[in-house]
Amino acid sequence: MKKELGIFLLLVALCAITAFINPRFLSQTNLTNMANLIGLFGVFSLGLGLVIITGGIDLSVGSMCALCGVVMSMALTEWHLAWPLAVLAVLIIPMSLGWVHGALVTKMQMQPFIVTLCGLLLYRGVARFIANDDTKGFGGGEGFETLRSVASGKLFGLPMPFVTLLIIGTILWVVLHRSVYGRYLLAVGRNEEAARFSGINTRRVITGAYVIAGLLTGVSGIMIAFYTNSVSPSNHANSYELYAIAAAVLGGCSLRGGEGSIVGIIIGTALLQVLQNLVNLLGIPSSLNFAVMGAVVLLGVMADQMLQRRAARLVVH
Amino acid sequence: MDTPLLEMRGISKRFPGVVALDRVSLSVGPGEVLALCGENGAGKSTLMKILGGVYRPEEGELLVDGKPVCIENVNDSMALGIGFIHQELNILDNLDIAANIFLGREPLIAPFQIIDRKKIHADTEPLLKRLGLNIPSTTLLRNLSIAQQQMVEIAKALSQKARIIIMDEPTSSLTLTETDCLLDLITGLRAEGVSIIYISHRLGEVSRCADRVEVLRDGKNAGGLSRSEINHDNIVAKMVGREIKNHRVPSEAKLTPGFLKVRNARSSRYPDQRVSFDAARGEILGFAGLVGAGRSEMMKAVVGLDEHGCAEVTLGEEFLVIRHAKDSIGNGIFLVPEDRRGEGLITAMSVRENTTLPSLGSYSTSGIISKARETVVAKEQIASLRIKTPGAESLVRNLSGGNQQKVAIGKWLAMGPKVLILDEPTRGIDVGAKAEIYRLVRTLANNGAVILIISSDMEEVLHLSDRIAVMHEGRITGVLEEADCNEQNVIQLAVGRSVAAAKPAFQ
């Protein structure tokens, strides 16, 4: 809890400073827009967060998102599938890919970094190939108005992606912090061998995390596709996995596994989006966008490490 | 004999709570093969680590060529011409033979400080020839057998002008032919004037290659044997001979013999051996043997933790199919592993979380854990095992070794064990906690559990067990009934000899 508090205070401070310098930060348009982005990035960051808790990593998230976007668009506008079928396909594909990642990591004992790096290259290539490298869109959008409003509409004035993040976040909070599966995830991430000696099927637990990550990437993929409304396969959702990793680490996940919280990952995602917004609103050259993000993540993790070391010393004495 | 090459006089070394070495003396002459024998924990390794510069003695002196020397670290030891071949080989298997031999002292070519590859290979070839190893020096270590890798270690010691080579259990992972080769090599080295200190549990090898035997017992010199006196019985006689106070608490349980039947347990460590044994309900069956006898590996195979192992287990009348730890746990067969921190516990989790981990299902309703129910059980275990912890939420890593072990046992007690396997349950634990664990184990047996205890501590295994199964090289060499449980018999069986009183392990 303490860990989330630190980064939450950082988030509040950044918001306060930005709002103070440029009151437009608090305008309804800006807040709605930001909430929308937090929702879009938060959902897949949560999935990747679970994978990181097992001690793994998933670098293929961005490419998977692009593949989902391409398939979604083509299914609706070119293959004329009914939208529920298209949605089903776009959820099943990334889940199966996640299962393959999990199987390769647990059964073949391959390193998650390599497995998902190959995924990154492979799915991007497949997305470009099936789209013939053409930008895909959703045209007039006949026949799937419901889907569009669910994916990119509003509920009680809140953008749907943000609502989705809140719902999924709540479910995952229960899963990670209250359920048997969540306890197994943390146990496997901390000491896989001891978990195995306690009778836990560690392979299934780890594979499960990759499948959930795939599912959430699919959900994000649909929403992102409707948000951008056009999917250019070569750079759609490019390097989004890095945002997710940054958010998870900022939110208290350790890349060594065994640590992390849902609230932390969501706050981490929010922090990254506020930073981008801040760059725009404060008139910082947008070329510095990434530099600001990199510096804040670095400082945040550094400060956290120093505080923890101090806390550890206090315990010893 | 003139001045011995190496002499150790009155060496003492204490660790917290134990005197590992008590005024031990030892000497090795030039070109002499000295075998160092003793039970587990007799102090052999500690003594050799002092020679190797790993530990420093609290008392005593070391002399090389009759001159007092001071060995403060590994480099000092090497500079004095002492080479150490550890049981776990220190090799980098991604490098070739020459690179391994010259690791850390590569000859360099100026001006760019490039490794002189020609020279290291040229220097390595004659060493390999001297050891009878017909392999090019450019071979990667990973492509060599363990015996050949060991040869490379010996070559490395020779290249450092070692005059004394210490070999700690060098044959423990070698085949018979490879062992023969190594013993021949030792004879060859001796003829060249190299001295060897040979540590082995295998008395046959000792009788074959040693010029002299020095036996340690409980950290003290137990006497030496000259060449003509070396034989099995003399060595064993010196290894035992300690008085063991026997405060055994007799079993009060009604025994149900043959309640647990294990047949054809095969571990990946000894794939050619099949182990079978019976154990009664209410009994404590001890598993004795020298380190590396394959006891832990066999138990892991029994509970389904060895992927390449297997075992047929019958509990009561029921034949169990065990493929995964989950299967044995579901049937009430639990293992408390030797490596507490690595395998038994998740030290970064709390006492509560560790206690409930193997049976989380019973603390949850449709997948959601009830923390309140967990806490109740964790507190019960803390109270009944008298675990010293600030509370159920404390992280296990902040507890002492003895209390960690209680948590590791407690997590199974909460589930009502039918068979509890304890692997070295009191290693690294203080005397008080030890006594508590002994009492606990006896109570469990009296309440009708089958207890299997692996222990390398002779005193412990004699003290606790109702019967003792002794293992040697992956098989059970005999089972001793209560009346025949004594050190002499255990040692004889542990070194692979037969004992008249020993019974078969199963009917």
Side-chain angles (χ1 to χ4, degrees):
Chain A
M1 207 58 228
K2 258 187 202 150
K3 224 170 172 173
E4 289 107 350
L5 191 66
I7 178 188
F8 181 69
L9 291 178
L10 182 62
L11 176 66
V12 171
L14 278 177
C15 290
I17 293 168
T18 319
F20 180 74
I21 299 176
N22 191 339
R24 259 203 307 150
F25 179 78
L26 293 177
S27 70
Q28 205 194 338
T29 333
N30 189 52
L31 288 181
T32 312
N33 187 33
M34 219 159 51
N36 193 28
L37 287 168
I38 292 171
L40 293 175
F41 282 82
V43 172
F44 66 79
S45 298
L46 287 177
L48 186 47
L50 295 187
V51 170
I52 288 178
I53 287 173
T54 68
I57 194 97
D58 190 344
L59 298 177
S60 68
V61 166
S63 298
M64 244 193 233
C65 244
L67 182 60
C68 290
V70 167
V71 171
M72 192 75 212
S73 150
M74 292 177 72
L76 292 174
T77 61
E78 294 175 24
W79 308 330
H80 303 291
L81 288 184
W83 69 262
L85 267 182
V87 168
L88 203 64
V90 168
L91 296 183
I92 287 176
I93 292 170
M95 278 172 85
S96 323
L97 296 176
W99 181 81
V100 172
H101 292 167
L104 290 174
V105 168
T106 56
K107 292 239 165 80
M108 300 280 295
Q109 308 275 312
M110 290 175 74
Q111 289 176 338
F113 191 100
I114 301 299
V115 170
T116 58
L117 177 67
C118 296
L120 178 150
L121 300 169
L122 200 64
Y123 312 145
R124 176 73 59 187
V126 171
R128 289 176 60 173
F129 178 76
I130 58 174
N132 207 9
D133 240 350
D134 291 335
T135 300
K136 300 286 172 184
F138 293 99
E142 294 85 24
F144 50 91
E145 293 80 1
T146 332
L147 174 62
R148 186 189 289 274
S149 67
V150 169
S152 61
K154 282 192 180 159
L155 188 72
F156 306 124
L158 289 172
M160 275 310 286
F162 190 69
V163 175
T164 312
L165 174 65
L166 291 183
I167 296 170
I168 291 180
T170 312
I171 296 172
L172 284 187
W173 184 86
V174 174
V175 167
L176 182 63
H177 300 294
R178 288 290 177 269
S179 83
V180 173
Y181 178 71
R183 179 74 58 78
Y184 285 177
L185 260 183
L186 290 165
V188 165
R190 283 192 175 124
N191 186 341
E192 192 178 337
E193 207 49 21
R196 200 166 72 87
F197 272 70
S198 290
I200 297 171
N201 189 339
T202 54
R203 288 178 174 174
R204 200 149 58 188
V205 171
I206 293 173
T207 307
Y210 284 92
V211 173
I212 296 175
L215 171 67
L216 296 187
T217 305
V219 172
S220 287
I222 297 172
M223 296 192 302
I224 292 171
F226 278 101
Y227 171 72
T228 57
N229 210 19
S230 79
V231 180
S232 82
S234 60
N235 59 19
H236 183 76
N238 209 355
S239 70
Y240 276 18
E241 57 281 345
L242 301 182
Y243 288 86
I245 295 169
V249 170
L250 267 178
C253 292
S254 159
L255 290 181
R256 265 179 240 109
E259 260 171 84
S261 81
I262 298 300
V263 176
I265 299 169
I266 293 178
I267 298 176
T269 309
L271 189 71
L272 291 181
Q273 294 309 324
V274 167
L275 278 177
Q276 296 210 23
N277 193 238
L278 168 155
V279 169
N280 288 331
L281 289 180
L282 299 191
I284 300 170
S286 64
S287 51
L288 278 177
N289 193 340
F290 279 142
V292 170
M293 223 188 296
V296 170
V297 173
L298 188 65
L299 288 174
V301 174
M302 212 159 83
D304 180 62
Q305 206 111 52
M306 274 163 23
L307 284 175
Q308 272 192 27
R309 217 169 287 164
R310 231 175 96 187
R313 237 178 283 142
L314 286 178
V315 169
V316 170
H317 291 303
Chain B
M1 202 192 314
D2 327 310
T3 347
L5 179 55
L6 168 85
E7 208 178 345
M8 301 177 88
R9 285 189 195 152
I11 303 284
S12 294
K13 173 79 191 169
R14 282 172 204 89
F15 291 112
V18 264
V19 181
L21 293 173
D22 186 7
R23 291 182 303 258
V24 173
S25 299
L26 191 80
S27 72
V28 190
E32 184 181 36
V33 177
L34 174 74
L36 197 56
C37 296
E39 279 179 31
N40 303 324
K44 305 176 301 256
S45 296
T46 312
L47 189 66
M48 289 305 109
K49 280 181 180 159
I50 285 173
L51 265 188
V54 180
Y55 295 143
R56 294 177 62 187
E58 272 131 29
E59 278 171 45
E61 46 179 357
L62 289 164
L63 296 98
V64 174
D65 292 326
K67 290 189 229 41
V69 293
C70 186
I71 300 179
E72 301 213 353
N73 53 45
V74 182
N75 290 338
D76 288 355
S77 163
M78 275 196 251
L80 288 168
I82 300 171
F84 205 146
I85 315 294
H86 293 269
Q87 198 172 354
E88 304 288 326
L89 298 176
N90 280 318
I91 53 150
L92 299 173
D93 68 359
N94 55 339
L95 298 181
D96 65 21
I97 296 178
N100 266 283
I101 288 180
F102 284 93
L103 190 72
R105 48 196 183 96
E106 293 86 353
L108 301 174
I109 308 176
F112 296 116
Q113 303 291 303
I114 293 165
I115 297 175
D116 190 343
R117 291 174 53 84
K118 234 182 226 157
K119 183 166 166 35
I120 62 172
H121 285 286
D123 288 355
T124 302
E125 296 289 355
L127 283 172
L128 297 181
K129 210 158 278 161
R130 185 172 160 196
L131 296 177
L133 208 57
N134 281 322
I135 305 171
S137 61
T138 49
T139 318
L140 295 185
L141 266 276
R142 76 162 73 94
N143 298 332
L144 301 184
S145 71
I146 294 189
Q148 291 168 327
Q149 292 178 354
Q150 203 171 43
M151 294 282 189
V152 172
E153 287 251 58
I154 296 172
K156 183 174 180 176
L158 292 177
S159 82
Q160 287 162 311
K161 309 259 178 311
R163 295 186 294 160
I164 305 167
I165 297 181
I166 303 167
M167 297 186 187
D168 189 358
E169 298 279 351
T171 56
S172 58
S173 32
L174 302 190
T175 63
L176 278 178
T177 356
E178 288 170 338
T179 302
D180 271 345
C181 285
L182 182 76
L183 294 178
D184 288 343
L185 175 68
I186 288 175
T187 317
L189 287 173
R190 173 172 55 187
E192 293 179 36
V194 178
S195 308
I196 288 170
I197 302 181
Y198 190 87
I199 303 179
S200 181
H201 287 309
R202 300 183 175 175
L203 303 187
E205 294 165 15
V206 169
S207 325
R208 215 180 114 185
C209 75
D211 295 317
R212 204 153 56 78
V213 172
E214 187 66 45
V215 181
L216 295 186
R217 189 199 311 146
D218 295 334
K220 296 189 182 106
N221 286 94
L225 297 167
S226 65
R227 176 73 228 166
S228 55
E229 297 169 314
I230 297 175
N231 63 44
H232 232 102
D233 294 334
N234 283 345
I235 299 175
V236 170
K238 295 233 184 272
M239 279 166 76
V240 299
R242 163 173 53 150
E243 267 185 53
I244 290 181
K245 287 162 265 155
N246 207 341
H247 309 289
R248 181 201 306 260
V249 190
S251 166
E252 295 162 16
K254 265 211 261 157
L255 297 181
T256 319
F259 182 69
L260 172 74
K261 289 194 172 79
V262 172
R263 294 290 177 271
N264 299 320
R266 185 168 60 95
S267 68
S268 44
R269 167 83 187 262
Y270 288 103
D272 302 329
Q273 300 283 7
R274 303 274 192 281
V275 178
S276 301
F277 63 90
D278 287 346
R281 206 167 158 212
E283 108 173 305
I284 300 178
L285 176 60
F287 279 80
L290 298 161
V291 171
R295 294 168 292 166
S296 308
E297 291 81 357
M298 185 268 293
M299 290 301 182
K300 281 179 189 169
V302 169
V303 298
L305 281 164
D306 185 341
E307 264 190 77
H308 307 289
C310 59
E312 297 151 23
V313 180
T314 313
L315 192 59
E317 294 300 309
E318 198 185 348
F319 181 78
L320 308 179
V321 180
I322 295 175
R323 291 211 184 80
H324 184 267
K326 201 176 56 172
D327 305 326
S328 56
I329 291 170
N331 285 298
I333 303 176
F334 310 139
L335 169 72
V336 181
E338 177 181 6
D339 180 1
R340 276 198 289 281
R341 291 178 195 86
E343 299 172 340
L345 294 165
I346 298 179
T347 54
M349 283 186 149
S350 67
V351 174
R352 166 180 59 86
E353 288 166 313
N354 272 287
T355 307
T356 55
L357 193 61
S359 53
L360 260 190
S362 54
Y363 302 96
S364 58
T365 326
S366 36
I368 305 299
I369 303 169
S370 158
K371 195 175 158 186
R373 267 149 70 193
E374 281 188 286
T375 309
V376 170
V377 173
K379 284 192 169 153
E380 272 171 26
Q381 291 304 326
I382 291 173
S384 72
L385 297 179
R386 270 172 283 161
I387 300 172
K388 286 194 198 77
T389 166
E393 295 308 310
S394 299
L395 298 187
V396 167
R397 66 161 168 245
N398 296 332
L399 306 185
S400 72
N403 286 301
Q404 287 186 356
Q405 182 67 314
K406 287 185 191 173
V407 177
I409 299 177
K411 73 182 203 182
W412 301 115
L413 297 192
M415 296 166 64
K418 289 184 192 151
V419 179
L420 189 65
I421 306 168
L422 298 144
D423 193 351
E424 304 290 354
T426 63
R427 176 165 292 173
I429 286 180
D430 65 83
V431 184
K434 245 185 204 179
E436 284 184 65
I437 287 175
Y438 292 167
R439 267 200 301 277
L440 171 71
V441 164
R442 179 52 76 189
T443 314
L444 284 171
N446 285 343
N447 291 342
V450 180
I451 309 280
L452 308 178
I453 288 194
I454 299 177
S455 177
S456 296
D457 180 339
M458 179 68 74
E459 206 162 328
E460 173 168 295
V461 86
L462 289 173
H463 171 76
L464 266 180
S465 318
D466 297 323
R467 290 187 306 148
I468 299 176
V470 187
M471 289 185 68
H472 172 76
E473 314 260 298
R475 64 197 166 85
I476 295 181
T477 41
V479 173
L480 298 166
E481 295 293 331
E482 189 161 0
D484 305 314
C485 286
N486 60 48
E487 196 177 6
Q488 180 83 27
N489 285 345
V490 172
I491 293 262
Q492 291 283 6
L493 291 170
V495 298
R497 306 195 89 196
S498 54
V499 167
K503 304 272 189 302
F506 63 101
Q507 259 109 41

